[in-house]
Amino acid sequence: NKWVFGLEATGGYLWLRDSHGDGDFFSSNGNQFFTSTSFKTHYLLTVGSRIGYAFCRWLPYVTGGLAIGDLDFFQQFQAPDFFPEKVGGRTSETNAGWFVGGGLQYSITEHWSARVQYQYVDLGSTSFDHDSAPPTFPSSSKVELREHNASFAIIYGF
C-alpha cells in the first residue's frame, strides 16, 4: 500500500500590514470627504490532514483543514460638509477559517527531504458598525482575509 495519511500543524508570524490614508477627495457636487484604513494580521496557524501517494522517492499530496489567525481592522471616514466629527471604529479578533492545498515532497536521503507546497487560506471576515455616525447616516465597515501561500521546506525526519 503506497497511500500515505498524516496530520500536520504549522504556525508562523506574518506581520502582514496594509494601511493608507485615501486623503481628501471631492464628490461631483463639491462636498469634501476623507478616509483612512488600516489592516493587520500577525500570525497564521494551520492544522490539517495530508493524503498522498508515494512512488519512488516522490510523494504528491493534498492537504486541508483548520486555519486560525488574527484580524485587526481600523477605518475612519469624515465628511465635514455633513457632520464635523470623524466616523469609524476598530475591531481586533481571532478568526477560525479553513485552508486547502497541495504539494510535492521528495526524499533526498533516509532522513532528509524537500517539499514545495501551495495553500489557499480563508480566515473569513470581521466588521463593525460606526457607532459615532449620525442617525441619518448609519454606516459599517467590513474586511475579509484570503491568502495564497507558497512555501519551500527542507525537512529532517527522525
Side-chain angles (χ1 to χ4, degrees), residues 73 75 87-88 127-131 133 137-142:
F73 177 49
Q75 191 164 58
V87 173
S127 63
F128 58 84
D129 291 330
H130 298 186
D131 294 333
F137 192 73
S139 58
S140 63
S141 294
K142 178 180 178 181

Side-chain angles (χ1 to χ4, degrees), residues 32-153:
Q32 184 180 15
F33 299 91
F34 174 81
T35 63
S36 178
T37 303
S38 170
F39 176 75
K40 303 174 201 169
T41 186
H42 301 96
Y43 63 89
L44 176 64
L45 307 170
T46 61
V47 178
S49 60
R50 183 191 283 189
I51 301 169
Y53 187 80
F55 62 95
C56 299
R57 293 180 169 261
W58 297 96
L59 175 66
Y61 63 89
V62 294
T63 184
L66 174 68
I68 300 171
D70 69 322
L71 304 175
D72 186 347
F73 177 49
F74 165 81
Q75 191 164 58
Q76 195 171 57
F77 173 78
Q78 185 177 18
D81 295 336
F82 297 105
F83 46 91
E85 294 184 24
K86 293 180 180 178
V87 173
R90 162 170 265 134
T91 184
S92 183
E93 60 187 50
T94 298
N95 277 23
W98 57 274
F99 78 96
V100 65
L104 182 62
Q105 190 163 327
Y106 179 76
S107 178
I108 301 167
T109 67
E110 184 178 331
H111 293 286
W112 289 96
S113 62
R115 81 165 182 220
V116 293
Q117 179 173 275
Y118 166 80
Q119 288 181 341
Y120 174 80
V121 180
D122 186 339
L123 285 178
S125 65
T126 186
S127 63
F128 58 84
D129 291 330
H130 298 186
D131 294 333
S132 57
T136 57
F137 192 73
S139 58
S140 63
S141 294
K142 178 180 178 181
V143 67
E144 298 175 341
L145 180 60
R146 294 186 183 102
E147 295 182 4
H148 297 275
N149 294 331
S151 62
F152 172 76

